[in-house]
């Protein structure tokens, strides 16, 4: 679709718009869709949360989180229950590391790439500092060989082997933003997990750009933004993924309550069926 076909008036000459990794062209239905939401707000206000769906083609506002998850899950190859559309990329990485980076006195390092996007680097450094460690000592950075730009999968696996006994988390980009290299997510994830490591991925430059199968690849967690290859624009809401096995009910050893991986929780940490009971008793 050319700019002139969309009637922007930016040029009298036909042109092709390639700025898809920052802000794509506006879909034809966007303005109408937003106006329907504004009309709902102006006409029935708070009742938009629970309106009768027969009277509106839109999803009830209280169900928009689940609706967004269902729409986004296929983009990253996940189940809808494994995806949340929320926050910003860096905030989501902090929330995920808050649950998945649980260092001990012997396993406390984070493996990352040598030229991580600055916000990722800052987030990882601050998480390490927050646990009382020195980032200079506890960040293991994987970089290319001298004179090369891409990091071979073999080198990544060798670094994992070298540091597996002292590492708590592997956090890498699906696509390295500086070189454009697509990492072998499936192979790296399995290799690290087979050595007892938790593996997360920053998919900012991969989601909406390359095929992903996070669930089938058994990825522990991932986060992404929507303002690059999903064309949402600056400030748009981001997304995250956590494999369902981290929330699977386990009635082992005769326990009568389900056990879950420790994680940060909030409003959506309660059972949806009783979320509005406000009794603080129905944890997921």
């Amino acid at each position: 679709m050319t700019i002139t076909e969309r009637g922007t008036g930016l040029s009298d000459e036909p042109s092709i718009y390639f700025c898809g990794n920052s802000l794509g062209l506006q879909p034809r239905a966007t303005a109408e869709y937003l106006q329907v939401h504004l009309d709902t707000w102006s006409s029935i206000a708070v009742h938009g949360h629970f309106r009768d769906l027969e009277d509106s083609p839109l999803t009830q506002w209280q169900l928009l989180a689940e609706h967004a998850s269902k729409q986004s899950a296929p983009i990253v190859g996940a189940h809808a229950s494994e995806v949340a559309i929320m926050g910003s990329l860096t905030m989501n990485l902090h929330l995920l590391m808050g649950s998945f980076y649980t260092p001990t006195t012997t396993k406390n390092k984070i493996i990352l790439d040598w030229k991580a996007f600055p916000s990722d680097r800052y987030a990882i450094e601050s998480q390490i500092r927050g646990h009382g460690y020195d980032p200079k000592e506890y960040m293991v950075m994987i970089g290319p060989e001298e004179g090369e730009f891409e990091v071979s999968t073999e080198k990544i696996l060798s670094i994992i082997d070298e540091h597996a006994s002292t590492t708590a988390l592997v956090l890498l980009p699906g696509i390295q933003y500086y070189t454009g290299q697509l990492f072998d997510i499936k192979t790296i994830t399995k290799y690290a997990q087979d050595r007892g490591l938790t593996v997360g991925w920053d998919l900012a430059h991969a989601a909406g750009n390359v095929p992903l199968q996070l669930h089938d690849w058994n990825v522990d967690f991932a986060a992404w933004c929507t303002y690059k290859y999903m064309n949402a624009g600056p400030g748009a809401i981001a997304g995250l993924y956590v494999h369902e096995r981290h929330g699977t009910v386990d009635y082992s050893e005769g326990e009568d309550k389900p056990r879950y991986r420790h994680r940060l929780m909030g409003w959506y940490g309660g059972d949806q069926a009783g979320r509005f009971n406000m009794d603080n008793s129905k944890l997921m």
Side-chain angles (χ1 to χ4, degrees):
M1 185 68 68
T2 66
I3 292 178
T4 53
E5 286 175 343
R6 297 304 301 273
T8 62
L10 294 178
S11 172
D12 293 331
E13 299 295 328
S15 59
I16 299 175
Y17 189 77
F18 282 117
C19 196
N21 68 335
S22 181
L23 184 61
L25 291 175
Q26 185 184 106
R28 297 183 186 280
T30 298
E32 181 180 359
Y33 184 77
L34 291 175
Q35 188 60 52
V36 173
H37 276 291
L38 292 173
D39 292 343
T40 299
W41 177 18
S42 66
S43 60
I44 61 175
V46 73
H47 296 290
H49 288 286
F50 312 101
R51 66 178 174 274
D52 186 348
L53 290 180
E54 294 181 357
D55 296 334
S56 171
L58 301 178
T59 302
Q60 295 181 42
W61 291 343
Q62 66 160 336
L63 301 177
L64 281 176
E66 289 84 355
H67 180 64
S69 296
K70 289 178 182 177
Q71 290 185 314
S72 300
I75 297 174
V76 294
H79 297 167
S81 59
E82 297 174 318
V83 171
I85 304 304
M86 55 178 278
S88 67
L89 172 59
T90 304
M91 185 194 81
N92 288 344
L93 284 173
H94 273 299
L95 290 172
L96 289 164
M97 283 191 282
S99 293
F100 284 94
Y101 177 53
T102 54
T104 67
T105 54
T106 57
K107 293 176 71 68
N108 39 41
K109 296 177 181 177
I110 296 180
I111 295 177
L112 63 153
D113 69 299
W114 92 112
K115 207 169 184 63
F117 202 82
S119 55
D120 285 25
R121 173 73 175 262
Y122 301 152
I124 291 170
E125 284 191 11
S126 62
Q127 287 283 334
I128 290 174
R129 285 197 185 94
H131 286 280
Y133 299 106
D134 182 354
K136 293 182 180 178
E137 183 178 353
Y138 292 92
M139 289 195 309
V140 178
M141 285 174 280
I142 301 174
E145 300 292 344
E146 186 70 26
E148 297 182 1
F149 296 97
E150 293 191 356
V151 186
S152 68
T153 299
E154 290 73 21
K155 180 170 185 179
I156 295 173
L157 303 186
S158 70
I159 295 293
I160 290 173
D161 273 336
E162 181 182 351
H163 295 277
S165 64
T166 56
T167 294
L169 174 65
V170 177
L171 181 54
L172 296 171
I175 291 180
Q176 214 292 328
Y177 86 98
Y178 190 72
T179 65
Q181 178 183 354
L182 172 61
F183 284 13
D184 188 342
I185 298 174
K186 179 180 180 181
T187 298
I188 295 168
T189 296
K190 185 178 188 307
Y191 196 86
Q193 289 175 340
D194 286 346
R195 284 145 186 79
L197 305 183
T198 298
V199 186
W201 294 90
D202 176 349
L203 303 176
H205 292 81
N209 185 17
V210 295
L212 298 168
Q213 295 296 328
L214 299 184
H215 177 84
D216 291 346
W217 295 341
N218 206 39
V219 169
D220 290 297
F221 72 86
W224 59 91
C225 57
T226 58
Y227 52 78
K228 297 187 186 298
Y229 295 96
M230 285 188 267
N231 299 336
I237 196 167
L240 63 83
Y241 154 92
V242 176
H243 197 284
E244 66 179 5
R245 72 179 185 283
H246 293 296
T248 301
V249 176
D250 179 8
Y251 291 99
S252 62
E253 300 179 2
E255 295 181 5
D256 59 359
K257 293 183 179 180
R259 294 191 302 149
Y260 299 94
R261 180 185 182 89
H262 168 72
R263 77 273 197 192
L264 300 175
M265 298 173 67
W267 177 245
Y268 274 49
D271 184 350
Q272 182 181 9
R275 188 175 293 159
F276 289 95
N277 291 343
M278 313 299 281
D279 59 8
N280 297 323
S281 63
K282 289 187 176 293
L283 293 180
M284 292 177 64

